[in-house]
Amino acid sequence: MSVGGPSYRALAVRYAERETTLADAYYRWSSYGDPDGPLTMSYYFWVLQPRHEPQAPPIVIDCGFDPELGRRMGRRCLCEPAEALSRVGVDPAAVQRLVISHMHYDHIGNVDLFTNARISVARDELSFWTTDPIAQRPQFASHTDPGGVRRLRQAADTGRVDEIGKQAEIAPGLTAIQVGGHAPGQLVFKIAGEHGTLVLANDAVHYEAELRSDRPFGIFSDLGDMYRGYDTVRALMSSGAVLVPGHDPLVMEHFAPLNGAARGLAVCLTHEKE
């Protein structure tokens, strides 16, 4: 990142969590010969505050699950997404750019809050969930939110959606790269943080340990692409970029907590915890 170039203060906002097991979360866990054990899954969305344009509205990456759908699925809301946005100082009606990493239920459940935002999503992802009949098969359909899909289709029909190919600069200092694997158009993000580069892996890497051990998560559309996605993330990290996995509770421990209304809810990814 050049001096005076684009940069962001980046926040991870944890709005929900659930308890599961290693055997339930990882693909063929028993094949590794390790014992099963408990695993906590945290649910986040992310906020990028432009430091190069202090008066500009933030960019929001993903928007969490619909609270009622989450309750039916046994997910525990720590703070409903609409309230969480408010507690980190974001008015969704003022947001001009909402970025969707992929179209699983916990990433598209509150699209309707962002009434004035243009929406960025991978072309392959949008096409799969809105036009491919395979997406209606139970092993795929159980991972999405029909209401969220419908709202994204409506946004596309009204010209509010920018479809991303294999790679695109969404905004200065924010690049989306399609890796697939977990979902057909899964995106990861290279972000110019205010103190260095971040790699927001989102659900291409749910946990830091997942990448370190090279053990795939249990939900995927293409296992080969999931492995290739790991390699892409490692290549992005090779110059010293900081990894931000998509569901790891350790994110809340490794980065600096926010104070005030956001205390206990969000951390600043551009500041490591002292």
Side-chain angles (χ1 to χ4, degrees):
M1 182 179 64
S2 61
V3 175
S7 66
Y8 297 89
R9 180 174 181 256
L11 310 180
V13 184
R14 181 183 63 177
Y15 68 94
E17 65 181 13
R18 74 180 178 104
E19 299 304 320
T20 184
T21 65
L22 293 164
D24 183 63
Y26 281 88
Y27 179 60
R28 296 185 64 207
W29 176 260
S30 62
S31 69
Y32 301 117
D34 290 338
D36 196 8
L39 184 69
T40 299
M41 176 171 284
S42 295
Y43 293 81
Y44 299 92
F45 61 84
W46 299 269
V47 176
L48 305 182
Q49 300 169 329
R51 308 304 279 179
H52 52 288
E53 292 185 79
Q55 304 306 313
I59 296 169
V60 176
I61 299 179
D62 293 335
C63 54
F65 57 62
D66 173 78
E68 179 55 35
L69 176 59
R71 279 189 285 272
R72 293 200 303 269
M73 297 180 71
R75 280 36 173 176
R76 183 166 72 93
C77 247
L78 305 173
C79 180
E80 293 191 1
E83 181 186 347
L85 285 162
S86 177
R87 285 176 56 182
V88 296
V90 176
D91 175 4
V95 171
Q96 296 177 8
R97 177 67 59 180
L98 172 65
V99 184
I100 300 298
S101 66
H102 64 297
M103 290 171 60
H104 284 174
Y105 75 97
D106 52 322
H107 300 262
I108 62 170
N110 297 278
V111 170
D112 55 328
L113 297 177
F114 298 85
T115 53
N116 298 305
R118 293 201 63 78
I119 302 170
S120 297
V121 64
R123 181 178 300 112
D124 289 346
E125 185 76 358
L126 185 66
S127 175
F128 177 76
W129 293 107
T130 60
T131 68
D132 192 333
I134 291 296
Q136 304 303 315
R137 300 288 181 89
Q139 289 293 336
F140 282 106
S142 62
H143 300 305
T144 195
D145 173 357
V149 171
R150 182 176 63 255
R151 286 186 284 272
L152 283 169
R153 183 190 294 113
Q154 290 168 346
D157 290 344
T158 58
R160 289 179 52 213
V161 170
D162 296 323
E163 298 181 22
I164 294 170
K166 297 302 182 183
Q167 183 167 322
E169 185 178 63
I170 295 173
L174 172 60
T175 299
I177 302 163
Q178 181 175 315
V179 296
H182 177 66
Q186 171 74 61
L187 299 173
V188 301
F189 304 97
K190 183 178 179 182
I191 302 167
E194 56 187 329
H195 301 299
T197 303
L198 300 174
V199 177
L200 175 54
N202 206 277
D203 286 15
V205 178
H206 290 68
Y207 295 90
E208 184 178 349
E210 175 187 338
L211 184 67
R212 186 171 61 249
S213 63
D214 206 42
R215 294 180 175 183
F217 197 72
I219 298 170
F220 52 81
S221 61
D222 188 301
L223 181 59
D225 279 350
M226 179 169 274
Y227 277 122
R228 282 184 280 271
Y230 291 165
D231 292 342
T232 296
V233 169
R234 292 186 184 107
L236 290 170
M237 294 170 58
S238 64
S239 59
V242 174
L243 171 68
V244 182
H247 284 275
D248 201 327
L250 291 177
V251 168
M252 299 298 291
E253 299 181 20
H254 289 170
F255 298 97
L258 270 62
N259 294 316
R263 178 177 290 276
L265 174 69
V267 293
C268 181
L269 299 171
T270 43
H271 291 80
E272 292 191 12
K273 190 173 183 179
E274 295 181 357

